[in-house]
Amino acid sequence: MTKIKTIGVLTSGGDSPGMNAAIRAVTRSAIYNGFHVKGIYRGYEGLIHDEVKRFTTEDVSNIIQTGGTILRTARSKEFPTPAGHRKAYETLVKEHIDALVVIGGNGSLSGAAQFTEDYDIPCIGLPGTIDNDLYGTDMTIGYDTTLNTITQCVDKIRDTANSHERIFFVEVMGRDAGFLAQNSAIASGAEAAIIPEDSTDTDQLMTFMQRGIRKSKRSCIVIVSENPNGHGAMYYADRVMKEYPGYEVRVSILGHLQRGGSPSARDRILASRVGVGAIDALMEGQRNVMVGIKNDEVVYVPLKSAAGKRKPIDKSLIKVLDELSI
């Protein structure tokens, strides 16, 4: 195996608060341990087009508190192709990059796993996604910050909901995972959460309505996880207006404001730990693993498992919300 001298780092897919903290940790830990570091801009697309810069500790100064990613990010259609993989590998060879650290979510780590099958390059993944849907780690970078952002938004929506005695359907991100919706519903005191892991039919919606709108309550807030099949907040609001015409209904789709903002202390610490863990993994000879945290311990998870296995939601959280929303 070629001795690692230079480590490349990139961010890919959707941005998440704490990515900059992870870039900082990877860069400084690598330099501390005698490696060179090169930042790769705009994810896999930048890797294909050789958008690479040598990083020093100064390049990552004063970024731990900032949202987004200083390396920028992009979704590359070319990278998954054989030609894209070849161009990416040629860039690594040209830039003398011996190992790659990829900070991103499911698609980004899947791409890294496939790339390493085609070319012999050690790759370490870091779990950077607000969705918290990567298998093998208790938390992903950005999830805690986003959860707090959603809770703050719902607190403000509650003021209007109470004042006008309305039902609000609040749509949050999460792709096909309900971690954000379920836990933000508990944290904000919402009456219900509609999540992919607990698919809602007509009878369940009726239960939500009967439980949430009663004489003891002036409003009802339902958190809805975004749904690629069109069963998002607008879908449920339309159903209520048709099936329960006596209620005033409003929809709030929080959108991309969920991704932004200064990362929470928890996300900064998580990003720092797994960033240092990535360099430790490379020094230990690890290849093609994601660095995560399980039971407050750093763990290594095969990239294919991290991106390929479905992370289960704790179904007891559904019971908690049901009991507390009466």
Side-chain angles (χ1 to χ4, degrees):
M1 184 178 69
T2 304
K3 182 179 179 182
I4 296 173
K5 297 179 180 178
T6 301
I7 298 170
V9 57
L10 63 82
T11 52
S12 174
D15 62 300
S16 62
M19 278 186 165
N20 282 332
I23 295 167
R24 172 182 180 270
V26 169
T27 300
R28 293 196 167 179
S29 179
I31 291 172
Y32 177 86
N33 286 286
F35 299 102
H36 298 305
V37 180
K38 291 191 175 181
I40 301 162
Y41 288 84
R42 297 196 309 116
Y44 292 126
E45 191 71 7
L47 182 58
I48 289 172
H49 297 289
D50 195 14
E51 299 178 30
V52 179
K53 175 188 173 182
R54 173 79 176 269
F55 264 27
T56 66
T57 57
E58 288 77 13
D59 288 299
V60 294
S61 294
N62 298 317
I63 67 168
I64 193 171
Q65 76 279 13
T66 60
T69 162
I70 63 167
L71 287 174
R72 310 293 184 260
T73 183
R75 301 184 190 276
S76 177
K77 293 182 179 180
E78 185 178 7
F79 177 73
T81 68
H85 280 182
R86 185 180 66 254
K87 289 179 182 178
Y89 182 72
E90 288 171 353
T91 297
L92 294 176
V93 172
K94 176 185 175 183
E95 296 289 344
H96 304 288
I97 295 173
D98 308 305
L100 192 61
V101 176
V102 175
I103 307 167
N106 191 288
S108 302
L109 300 194
S110 294
Q114 185 60 53
F115 181 56
T116 57
E117 285 189 359
D118 293 346
Y119 293 94
D120 184 25
I121 178 79
C123 188
I124 305 297
L126 299 186
T129 170
I130 66 171
D131 301 334
N132 198 37
D133 61 345
L134 287 172
Y135 179 85
T137 183
D138 291 337
M139 297 277 282
T140 59
I141 299 165
Y143 171 68
D144 184 68
T145 305
T146 300
L147 190 59
N148 279 283
T149 297
I150 293 170
T151 302
Q152 292 163 9
C153 290
V154 175
D155 287 348
K156 297 178 190 299
I157 290 169
R158 173 81 70 182
D159 293 341
T160 293
N162 283 339
S163 298
H164 294 270
E165 300 182 293
R166 289 171 175 164
I167 304 172
F168 265 88
F169 287 90
V170 181
E171 184 173 301
V172 302
M173 289 181 170
R175 204 174 56 165
D176 55 358
F179 296 96
L180 283 172
Q182 188 67 41
N183 283 299
S184 65
I186 294 172
S188 63
E191 279 64 41
I194 297 176
I195 61 174
E197 294 88 346
D198 185 34
S199 58
T200 300
D201 57 25
T202 304
D203 291 337
Q204 287 173 305
L205 182 62
M206 185 184 304
T207 301
F208 294 156
M209 292 295 297
Q210 292 174 344
R211 184 177 63 212
I213 300 296
R214 14 185 273 177
K215 291 182 180 179
S216 63
K217 292 199 173 187
R218 293 182 295 165
S219 67
C220 177
I221 292 182
V222 180
I223 312 295
V224 183
S225 185
E226 63 183 355
N227 189 297
N229 298 320
H231 288 188
M234 289 297 300
Y235 167 80
Y236 288 103
D238 288 343
R239 277 190 51 195
V240 171
M241 286 187 284
K242 292 175 182 176
E243 298 171 27
Y244 305 90
Y247 294 110
E248 190 174 358
V249 181
R250 293 291 186 273
V251 171
S252 183
I253 299 175
L254 299 186
H256 286 84
L257 69 84
Q258 296 165 84
R259 289 194 184 278
S262 178
S264 66
R266 178 170 289 189
D267 272 328
R268 298 182 199 191
I269 294 167
L270 171 63
S272 298
R273 291 184 69 186
V274 297
V276 170
I279 305 306
D280 289 342
L282 289 171
M283 291 193 296
E284 292 172 15
Q286 295 285 342
R287 298 167 64 90
N288 313 331
V289 297
M290 179 192 77
V291 181
I293 300 289
K294 288 288 286 185
N295 300 319
D296 206 32
E297 296 287 338
V298 173
V299 295
Y300 302 144
V301 185
L303 285 176
K304 281 194 170 182
S305 295
K309 290 187 178 180
R310 186 170 182 85
K311 182 177 180 178
I313 198 167
D314 184 352
K315 292 297 183 72
S316 70
L317 296 173
I318 298 173
K319 178 176 181 291
V320 168
L321 181 59
D322 286 347
E323 292 188 6
L324 298 184
S325 62
I326 61 172

